[in-house]
Amino acid sequence: MASSLVLSCCCIIMITNLFMAFGFGYAQPTRAFFVFGDSIADNGNNHFLATTARADTPPYGIDFPSHKATGRFSNGLNIPDILSEQLGLEPTLPYLSPLLIGEKLLVGANFASAGIGILNDTGFQFLEVLHIDKQLKLFGHYQQRLSLHIGEEEAKKVVNKAIVLIILGGNDFVNNYYLVPFSARSRQFSLPDYVTYLISEYRKILKELYDLGARKILVTGTGPIGCVPAELALRSRNGDCDVELERAAALYNPLLVEMIKGLNNEIGFDAFIAANAHQMHMDFITNPQAYGFVTSKVACCGQGPYNGIGLCTPLSNLCPNRDLYAFWDPFHPSEKASRLIVQQILTGSNEYMHPMNLSTVLAMD
């Protein structure tokens, strides 16, 4: 009788171990993922807000698995979606989604909101958006909710182990400093002084993110803001990138990397990883054919010169094959271009990722 009882217990233990090994039972996501930033990262928060910065009508989402507009500023998946996919993680839900409850909290959350920037006066024209200080407050609320679900200590572990992506900065130029001639910020600051001010404000944001428990934080620089179809339509006569906007990016991105180095030195380890989004984009902008694109100047969806005027709407010009276009709409990369960017985030050399790429970060973890 005793031997049969021992045999039964051993069988139960073996079956339990098999269930856990194959992801059944109480297995939790291997790692959470948190996303902050602007429209490059927004996966639907603005859908729940009274804002003009939204992507919830066709043809947005035309290549998404559901073929429906979801609030992503893409024809399909965006950069956070593709990072989740490549890392084998479940896609994060928008923080404002009513579906983000219970076990879904363990996956992480996306707090990004189209139109916002480092500064709270960036994006005022879009009405109700989640400025970055609001996103950080919601991250604190998220942690309270997670603590109620799994306990405070386990919640801290989830946040400490998580991957964090933050995409900010571009709107502080195109939707603030250069939004209109003689904008308030351009009257207040010369461009070099404005860039210095942005970096000082961004440092406070990143430090607060660290203080909230984030330990693996990907920080993207601004992309080639002078080369997007919207700016070509407004500023370019021959299809060349706008010199003034590219000067802004050239001032901003190196200072961002230096600021991140300083933060890491202060903290004592490499919590922050800088992603050279400008170079990632310029690879396929300067040589689109090498990456399978027919153009990096004309948006797939839009109207006017370079399809760069106004918004992408059901009445806009729409290309039949989105994989042939580097830009989906006047401002945002196509899913194919986003995949190229994510590949560099994962495996890129020091030219693209400093001090290391994400695969190295995870291998060291």
Side-chain angles (χ1 to χ4, degrees):
M1 179 73 176
S3 61
S4 63
L5 182 61
V6 170
L7 183 62
S8 297
C9 288
C10 289
C11 288
I12 291 170
I13 291 169
M14 289 174 65
I15 291 169
T16 301
N17 287 340
L18 282 170
F19 264 68
M20 296 305 291
F22 286 99
F24 300 105
Y26 300 100
Q28 295 181 357
T30 55
R31 193 183 299 271
F33 184 29
F34 301 107
V35 182
F36 302 86
D38 57 28
S39 58
I40 300 292
D42 189 351
N43 70 343
N45 281 309
N46 279 22
H47 178 69
F48 299 97
L49 301 172
T51 179
T52 57
R54 52 200 312 122
D56 53 359
T57 58
Y60 284 100
I62 188 171
D63 299 311
F64 195 74
S66 66
H67 304 293
K68 294 181 179 179
T70 60
R72 293 164 171 83
F73 287 77
S74 174
N75 58 299
L77 303 182
N78 64 10
I79 288 172
D81 293 325
I82 298 164
L83 264 175
S84 294
E85 174 193 272
Q86 293 298 304
L87 295 172
L89 304 176
E90 185 177 335
T92 56
L93 288 169
Y95 185 74
L96 298 183
S97 169
L99 300 178
L100 187 66
I101 55 174
E103 295 297 298
K104 290 292 184 183
L105 290 168
L106 295 167
V107 175
N110 186 317
F111 301 88
S113 178
I116 68 113
I118 295 166
L119 306 180
N120 281 336
D121 56 296
T122 295
F124 71 92
Q125 67 270 35
F126 300 122
L127 306 177
E128 187 184 12
V129 289
L130 301 178
H131 292 289
I132 191 61
D133 58 346
K134 178 66 172 179
Q135 292 184 30
L136 294 176
K137 286 178 185 176
L138 292 176
F139 188 34
H141 295 164
Y142 161 87
Q143 293 186 46
Q144 294 172 10
R145 294 172 61 193
L146 186 64
S147 295
L148 291 173
H149 186 63
I150 61 174
E152 186 174 345
E153 286 305 311
E154 287 302 310
K156 285 181 180 178
K157 290 178 184 177
V158 167
V159 173
N160 288 164
K161 188 181 178 184
I163 297 165
V164 177
L165 172 68
I166 182 165
I167 301 177
L168 282 179
N171 283 329
D172 293 288
F173 296 105
V174 299
N175 280 312
N176 192 328
Y177 194 84
Y178 292 107
L179 178 62
V180 293
F182 309 107
S183 68
R185 287 297 189 183
S186 68
R187 294 195 306 271
Q188 181 183 9
F189 293 106
S190 67
L191 180 60
D193 288 345
Y194 182 65
V195 168
T196 300
Y197 176 60
L198 285 180
I199 295 297
S200 69
E201 292 300 299
Y202 205 177
R203 191 184 193 282
K204 297 173 188 175
I205 292 164
L206 295 180
K207 186 63 167 58
E208 185 174 352
L209 200 49
Y210 178 85
D211 291 342
L212 284 166
R215 293 296 181 268
K216 299 172 186 66
I217 307 154
L218 294 167
V219 185
T220 69
T222 188
I225 50 179
C227 305
V228 299
E231 300 304 335
L232 295 184
L234 289 175
R235 299 169 178 269
S236 178
R237 294 183 179 179
N238 56 7
D240 290 340
C241 300
D242 179 69
V243 173
E244 180 65 10
L245 284 170
E246 284 302 279
R247 184 169 79 94
L251 289 170
Y252 173 85
N253 286 323
L255 284 183
L256 178 64
V257 174
E258 289 304 311
M259 180 264 281
I260 286 172
K261 287 180 183 177
L263 266 179
N264 285 338
N265 287 337
E266 179 182 310
I267 291 166
F269 70 99
D270 294 327
F272 297 95
I273 308 297
N276 188 345
H278 192 276
Q279 188 56 50
M280 293 174 187
H281 282 82
M282 288 307 291
D283 285 350
F284 56 75
I285 285 175
T286 56
N287 191 5
Q289 286 74 27
Y291 296 87
F293 299 119
V294 296
T295 179
S296 60
K297 299 182 185 298
V298 180
C300 169
C301 182
Q303 46 276 315
Y306 308 101
N307 276 345
I309 300 295
L311 303 173
C312 173
T313 73
L315 299 178
S316 297
N317 301 319
L318 179 65
C319 67
N321 185 348
R322 275 68 65 184
D323 285 346
L324 298 179
Y325 286 71
F327 285 96
W328 155 245
D329 70 7
F331 283 104
H332 304 97
S334 63
E335 178 181 326
K336 181 178 176 180
S338 293
R339 288 188 176 279
L340 295 171
I341 293 165
V342 168
Q343 193 56 48
Q344 293 290 9
I345 291 173
L346 289 169
T347 63
S349 67
N350 283 348
E351 179 184 6
Y352 301 95
M353 301 295 296
H354 182 86
M356 67 194 84
N357 60 44
L358 182 55
S359 295
T360 304
V361 172
L362 296 179
M364 294 172 61
D365 186 19

